Amino acid sequence: MAAPPVNRPLVMGVLNVTPDSFFDGGRYLEPADAVVRGRQMVAEGADLVDVGGESSRPGADPVDEVEELRRVLPVVEALAGEVRVSVDTAKPAVAAAAVAAGATLVNDISGTLWPVAAEHGVGWVSMHMRGTPRDMQLHPHYEDVVAEVHGTVLDAARRAAAAGVPEVWVDPGIGFGKTAVHNLTLLAHLAELVAGAADLGAGVLVGTSRKTFLGRLGRPGEDPRPVHDRLEESLATTTWALAQGAGMVRVHDVAGTAAAAALTGRPDRLAA
Ligand code: HH2
């Protein structure tokens, strides 16, 4: 499996073409607005734009394939000539159509779409999720969250490599079937995932941006701070992930993250 070509950590900007995503839902439902936002993120330093047409926030309702295609395809097509585009989907047909429209990375929260990536010769993200968005936050439980999450994503990465996927990223799936303690434990042990992934020639992708556990920090027993009030924690956790060796971070706030990526790359990666 070829290692992702990384001289410094990459910044993946989040672009949700949905009415209900937990942070940017409803802002970019019009393709023209989404394309403007994508270009803005590129100007702010995004290396990739991750286009999604189905929210995976806790409790989200599934979106049918036709509607998801209608949302994402025009945006992928418009941006693919200007920036590397990934498609955030768990549906094989949406992944394949987005790749035909120019996407070169399948960002797959379901952890199942490596055959699509192998067939089309594009990259794939092996993300960990326990359950589905509908039920994943009801009773998250692990005997050993680090071993179970790392084992799952690295096993899937091995299968993808064996199937011929040319570029693989592993992602602990922060917030996907995990308590705040699980998320913080996974972040604390990120360097171990980076080492395990490196043995496979894979990189590590981390997405903490604006997630609920950040609103809970320092507020035991209280309601989490609202999503618009989680920028500092997003930048702090993203910078931590970069400093631990993550090769890519997935964020809504691109400019500050691009600065962090420029500052925190591992020296051996910065040296090119
Ligand atoms: N998080 C979200 C969606 N996709 N993909 C990867 N690889 N890693 C993540 O942590 C991740 C992801 C959730 O964030 P967002 O897209 O902003 O929200 P929503 O799912 O409500 O659209």
Side-chain angles (χ1 to χ4, degrees), residues 14 16 18 20-24 50 54-57 88 107 109 125 127 171 173-174 176 205-208 211 250 252:
V14 178
N16 285 312
T18 65
D20 57 344
S21 288
F22 80 96
F23 181 58
D24 60 354
D50 189 37
E54 178 176 50
S55 173
S56 53
R57 75 185 194 290
D88 185 355
N107 177 26
I109 65 160
V125 178
M127 199 199 81
D171 182 334
I174 298 297
F176 286 87
L205 167 61
V206 178
T208 60
K211 288 184 178 171
R250 182 182 181 278
H252 303 91

Side-chain angles (χ1 to χ4, degrees), residues 7-11 45 47 242 249 255-266 270:
N7 294 323
R8 62 168 174 77
L10 299 177
V11 177
D47 299 290
L242 290 165
V249 285
T257 306
L263 287 166
T264 60
R266 289 185 352 203
L270 289 169

